[in-house]
Amino acid sequence: MSISSRSHETKDLDLEEKGGFEAEAPLEVSSQDDGIKREGSTGVIGWLWKVSKKLDSYGVEVRGVERVPEDERHHARYIDSGTLWMSANMTISTFSLGTLGTSIFDLKATDSCLVILFFNLLCTIPVAIFSCWGKSTGLRQMMLGRFSFGPYAIWFPIVLNAFACIGWSTINTIVGASALLAVSDKNQLPEPAGIVIIALITLVIALFGYKYVHAIERYASIPVFIIFLIMLGEGGRHMQGGFGNLGEGQPSAILSFGGTIAGFALGWTSLAADYTVNLPAETANWKVFVCTYIGLNFPLIFVESLGALMMSTFEAKPSWGERYDTGGLGGLLAAGLSPLGGFGKFLLVLLALSIVTNNIPNVYSFALTVQSFHKSLQRIPRFSLCILCTIIYIVLAEAGYDSFETAFDTLLVILSYWLAIYSCILLEEHYIFRKGSFENYNLERYNKNDNLPVGWAAALATGCGVAGAVTSMSQSWYVGPIGRMLPGPFGGDIGFEVAFGFTAVTYPVFRYFERRQHGR
């Protein structure tokens, strides 16, 4: 029995045709049960579902990770598949990533911008493909992974993805709070207060769900883009290009920085399908792909390059370098807007709050990721898992806002190696063993273990990919034997490339024998 079909009618957003797109019908938020008991549950679960039904009357999305039937997919605005990623990446976290080319890898601005361009263009392709899969299947991203990893091997990606959602939310919130701190005089708004403000705004939007996430992300990038254009205008005359002269270590630095850029871009692969499941299945794949691909690459390339170029202004503007040294990212952002006086501070507040649009997908998808772990967890209402995620990352951010960011960022870069493995396995399963057609998936039985692969092929291929990453990484605390072979004092990090390569070679072999032995 379905927990609810909306007992009231909610006016949809933008019902009228606009910009040449079909008017949107109300998005359904009813939830399929798939044999999972929700109503009538006792204890905490039963109480949570009573709260969920009440929240449903206020427009909070009830549906969790359950498949969206084709007759309930009424989200006609396919361009939203691009605007969501436009806003999610038009933030100061993306700007911060661009600064690492100089601050960590000693690259000149031109080198950094070229790395940013080519690695983003390559690594966003899987995200765009998986976005198409969401509208074709009605399944969330981690549930799609079950058709490659099986019901148990998928636990490895699920755990890492849940951890990454919390981790990135923590880091993003710390970055946003530091920008708010740079605005206030005499630390009138300390970072702990900024952390809570950003987290609560994020939670409210993620709590209401799919429809409202898209509504906010549809336009949120516009003011932020304008602010970054203003910063470009103020700092442009002080920027300097040029290629680096690191000698034999130059290729290693480029590859290592490229790995960092790839980790950020690939980071959305484990969430991609979550935001297209309400698009009609008949929506053309090329439309969703192009919108997603442009929606990702425009902000990633523009904002990361701006971060790299702002790091080149310190020779012409030593005072900006001093503000960066003392205030970190917040100091650099404040310096770029300082010529505007009080209005520049106002713009800096808006930039700090842009972190919300980056955190929304993390908090929303955390709940769906946890529910994907096992049928029993699908009994936990989605809204309560969003609240849990928020509490966890507030505590982490408050506990370590002065020292946590750098260490945890390194850990997340390491965790993101698995995204190359995950993407490779899903792509090979779809195009090699499923012949590129979802008719070969039996989507109606997505939650039945006997309809899924056993999973040992994916598990073994993942192990090979992890081995490739470990032997090819170059981190401050460990350099693998392959990574050490690259020129330079610390070798180079090619963990993404080798992990993907090892997985690509081994998974087809393992999967062939798994299918031959088990027939699925």
Side-chain angles (χ1 to χ4, degrees):
M1 175 178 178
S2 176
I3 141 164
S4 80
S5 294
R6 295 289 299 274
S7 58
H8 69 291
E9 292 196 19
T10 303
K11 291 184 179 179
D12 191 26
L13 301 169
D14 303 317
L15 286 177
E16 298 179 359
E17 293 187 8
K18 185 176 181 180
F21 296 101
E22 182 182 347
E24 298 178 19
L27 297 179
E28 297 289 340
V29 294
S30 61
S31 180
Q32 299 172 335
D33 59 15
D34 299 303
I36 299 169
K37 183 180 179 183
R38 296 182 177 88
E39 287 188 308
S41 298
T42 59
V44 176
I45 298 297
W47 179 81
L48 287 174
W49 276 105
K50 289 179 181 178
V51 174
S52 182
K53 291 181 67 176
K54 183 64 176 178
L55 292 174
D56 179 37
S57 66
Y58 293 104
V60 173
E61 180 183 18
V62 174
R63 187 193 300 278
V65 79
E66 300 80 28
R67 180 173 182 254
V68 183
E70 292 189 19
D71 59 355
E72 293 184 23
R73 303 178 202 168
H74 304 307
H75 182 187
R77 192 186 294 267
Y78 65 84
I79 198 171
D80 283 351
S81 60
T83 55
L84 181 135
W85 302 118
M86 188 84 71
S87 293
N89 292 288
M90 191 74 72
T91 72
I92 56 177
S93 287
T94 312
F95 179 92
S96 176
L97 185 63
T99 66
L100 299 181
T102 298
S103 64
I104 301 296
F105 303 102
D106 295 323
L107 296 173
K108 295 290 187 179
T110 303
D111 293 321
S112 295
C113 289
L114 288 173
V115 172
I116 288 166
L117 173 65
F118 290 110
F119 273 84
N120 276 312
L121 289 175
L122 175 65
C123 294
T124 51
I125 292 175
V127 189
I129 292 175
F130 295 158
S131 292
C132 296
W133 292 8
K135 66 90 186 171
S136 297
T137 64
L139 289 173
R140 309 287 186 163
Q141 188 62 52
M142 283 295 119
M143 296 302 282
L144 277 170
R146 291 160 61 92
F147 284 94
S148 302
F149 283 81
Y152 303 112
I154 191 64
W155 290 355
F156 177 70
I158 285 174
V159 170
L160 292 181
N161 194 48
F163 188 43
C165 285
I166 292 175
W168 282 120
S169 296
T170 304
I171 289 174
N172 291 338
T173 304
I174 292 173
V175 171
S178 71
L180 288 175
L181 181 66
V183 176
S184 61
D185 295 325
K186 300 179 181 179
N187 295 343
Q188 293 175 349
L189 183 65
E191 283 185 293
I195 287 168
V196 173
I197 291 171
I198 291 171
L200 291 181
I201 296 174
T202 302
L203 174 62
V204 170
I205 300 168
L207 205 63
F208 274 81
Y210 180 98
K211 176 179 175 180
Y212 296 91
V213 168
H214 275 292
I216 295 297
E217 303 277 16
R218 189 176 297 155
Y219 306 110
S221 65
I222 298 174
V224 183
F225 175 58
I226 293 172
I227 296 171
F228 279 134
L229 282 179
I230 293 173
M231 186 179 295
L232 177 62
E234 292 294 337
R237 60 184 178 275
H238 307 301
M239 296 174 180
Q240 300 179 10
F243 294 91
N245 48 2
L246 299 178
E248 65 176 9
Q250 185 80 7
S252 298
I254 288 174
L255 287 172
S256 296
F257 182 48
T260 303
I261 296 297
F264 195 85
L266 278 172
W268 300 118
T269 57
S270 56
L271 285 63
D274 294 352
Y275 303 96
T276 55
V277 292
N278 281 312
L279 289 173
E282 62 270 16
T283 305
N285 282 331
W286 71 267
K287 293 180 179 180
V288 177
F289 182 93
V290 170
C291 287
T292 303
Y293 192 67
I294 294 175
L296 284 163
N297 279 289
F298 179 76
L300 287 174
I301 294 171
F302 170 68
V303 180
E304 288 171 6
S305 296
L306 178 61
L309 290 168
M310 285 296 292
M311 293 293 287
S312 71
T313 61
F314 299 161
E315 183 174 339
K317 294 285 290 184
S319 62
W320 289 13
E322 293 173 3
R323 296 188 71 167
Y324 174 72
D325 291 337
T326 58
L329 178 66
L332 179 59
L333 292 167
L337 296 172
S338 59
L340 300 177
F343 181 63
K345 289 188 175 183
F346 170 72
L347 297 181
L348 186 56
V349 171
L350 295 181
L351 281 182
L353 294 178
S354 72
I355 285 295
V356 169
T357 61
N358 191 276
N359 271 0
I360 288 171
N362 289 319
V363 176
Y364 180 74
S365 288
F366 171 85
L368 302 173
T369 299
V370 172
Q371 287 188 335
S372 301
F373 192 84
H374 193 267
K375 286 183 181 181
S376 60
L377 294 178
Q378 293 179 39
R379 298 176 61 226
I380 303 176
R382 183 194 62 82
F383 84 90
S384 60
L385 294 172
C386 289
I387 295 174
L388 175 64
C389 176
T390 302
I391 292 173
I392 293 173
Y393 82 77
I394 286 178
V395 171
L396 290 175
E398 296 283 11
Y401 64 83
D402 57 350
S403 60
F404 181 78
E405 181 184 353
T406 301
F408 207 69
D409 189 31
T410 301
L411 179 59
L412 287 174
V413 169
I414 296 171
L415 284 175
S416 64
Y417 292 151
W418 75 268
L419 294 167
I421 300 170
Y422 173 83
S423 300
C424 179
I425 289 176
L426 263 65
L427 291 170
E428 289 192 329
E429 175 69 25
H430 183 69
Y431 290 106
I432 296 176
F433 298 100
R434 309 277 181 169
K435 311 301 181 185
S437 173
F438 287 106
E439 294 180 358
N440 298 320
Y441 279 70
N442 196 354
L443 297 172
E444 296 293 335
R445 303 186 70 246
Y446 73 95
N447 224 7
K448 305 296 182 182
N449 289 356
D450 60 1
N451 182 52
L452 303 172
V454 175
W456 63 259
L460 290 175
T462 297
C464 293
V466 170
V470 171
T471 57
S472 306
M473 69 169 58
S474 178
Q475 297 295 323
S476 58
W477 53 272
Y478 175 76
V479 180
I482 297 178
R484 193 178 298 113
M485 294 171 62
L486 273 69
F490 305 105
D493 194 322
I494 53 174
F496 279 102
E497 296 88 339
V498 177
F500 187 92
F502 279 23
T503 307
V505 170
T506 58
Y507 180 71
V509 176
F510 294 143
R511 183 70 172 115
Y512 169 79
F513 287 106
E514 182 185 67
R515 284 168 62 94
R516 187 170 181 178
Q517 180 179 356
H518 299 284
R520 53 188 170 97

